Amino acid sequence: MDSFYKYHVFFCLNQREPGAERPSCANCNAQEMQEHAKKRVKKLGLAGPGQVRINKAGCLDRCELGPALVVYPEGVWYTYVDESDIDEIVDSHLVNGKIVERLKIDQ
Amino acid sequence: MDSFYKYHVFFCLNQREPGAERPSCANCNAQEMQEHAKKRVKKLGLAGPGQVRINKAGCLDRCELGPALVVYPEGVWYTYVDESDIDEIVDSHLVNGKIVERLKIDQ
């Protein structure tokens, strides 16, 4: 079955309580990076059915390896530091279908 | 590649501004139903890596067909009304791998 979105990307935006033992993706600019990805995909004309959807999500439970995002339907997980990492994920994976190995979280 | 989660389920919990033209999944008990699914999966011993993750998500942009959820990596979309629908999706799809055709949103 074809996927409704060719690439459906979920950014963890979880913010834990202060003093929590596990890290929070929200403390690593996750929301800003999600917005940046969404804008870039839109600017490239790739947003929408049959193409790409950039989504917000709650805790994806990859906290220690984050900030985390996942690209479905492949189920490829990434971490990132800044906008240049997001740009590389968008331009390589979402535009050209080529996984960015250096940012990939191991399964 | 194996998916980190066998079934990764995202519930749209989006709440639009009052008076918005498009409907909001949050107005159809989406949060309550997401929590119900999460508890049921946990109770069945299915939560965790290699098994099932029940996630919160922002707008999945299937507003007019919602309340909406999507099961990855298959990319199967569902709508639901109440806990009995959620139970059927959990017990049939997530436990037995059998799609619940009557609740499926067409691609």
Side-chain angles (χ1 to χ4, degrees):
Chain A
M1 164 173 37
D2 284 342
S3 192
F4 183 73
Y5 296 117
K6 182 175 177 186
Y7 296 113
H8 199 167
V9 182
F10 294 89
F11 278 72
C12 176
L13 300 191
N14 194 46
Q15 178 69 70
R16 295 184 184 279
E17 297 295 315
E21 286 188 12
R22 304 184 72 189
S24 296
C25 292
N27 291 338
C28 302
N29 293 324
Q31 181 161 339
E32 190 185 335
M33 292 302 110
Q34 188 264 343
E35 289 165 6
H36 177 75
K38 192 163 185 171
K39 280 181 198 158
R40 189 171 182 91
V41 163
K42 191 172 179 183
K43 192 176 171 185
L44 290 167
L46 293 177
Q51 300 193 86
V52 178
R53 176 81 183 166
I54 304 290
N55 246 109
K56 296 174 183 177
C59 179
L60 300 175
D61 207 20
R62 308 298 304 267
C63 317
E64 289 72 17
L65 301 169
L69 65 84
V70 58
V71 181
Y72 280 112
E74 291 116 316
V76 173
W77 292 78
Y78 288 115
T79 189
Y80 55 85
V81 173
D82 54 21
E83 290 188 358
S84 69
D85 289 343
I86 298 297
D87 291 350
E88 190 172 343
I89 292 167
V90 171
D91 297 358
S92 177
H93 194 148
L94 308 185
V95 175
N96 292 313
K98 189 172 158 51
I99 290 172
V100 183
E101 296 293 341
R102 74 175 186 87
L103 298 173
K104 200 163 162 276
I105 294 175
D106 286 337
Q107 295 290 320
Chain B
M1 164 172 35
D2 285 341
S3 192
F4 183 73
Y5 296 117
K6 182 175 178 187
Y7 295 114
H8 200 167
V9 182
F10 294 88
F11 278 73
C12 176
L13 300 191
N14 194 46
Q15 178 69 69
R16 294 183 184 280
E17 296 296 314
E21 287 188 11
R22 303 184 72 187
S24 295
C25 292
N27 292 337
C28 302
N29 293 325
Q31 182 162 339
E32 189 185 335
M33 292 302 112
Q34 188 264 343
E35 288 165 5
H36 177 75
K38 192 162 185 171
K39 280 181 199 159
R40 189 172 182 90
V41 162
K42 192 172 179 183
K43 191 175 171 185
L44 290 167
L46 294 175
Q51 300 194 87
V52 178
R53 176 82 183 167
I54 304 290
N55 246 109
K56 297 175 184 177
C59 179
L60 301 175
D61 207 20
R62 308 299 304 267
C63 317
E64 289 71 18
L65 300 170
L69 65 84
V70 59
V71 181
Y72 280 113
E74 291 116 316
V76 174
W77 292 78
Y78 288 116
T79 189
Y80 55 85
V81 173
D82 55 21
E83 289 188 357
S84 68
D85 289 343
I86 298 298
D87 291 349
E88 191 172 342
I89 292 167
V90 171
D91 297 357
S92 177
H93 194 146
L94 307 185
V95 175
N96 292 312
K98 189 173 157 51
I99 290 171
V100 183
E101 295 292 344
R102 73 175 187 87
L103 298 174
K104 202 164 160 277
I105 294 175
D106 285 337
Q107 294 293 317

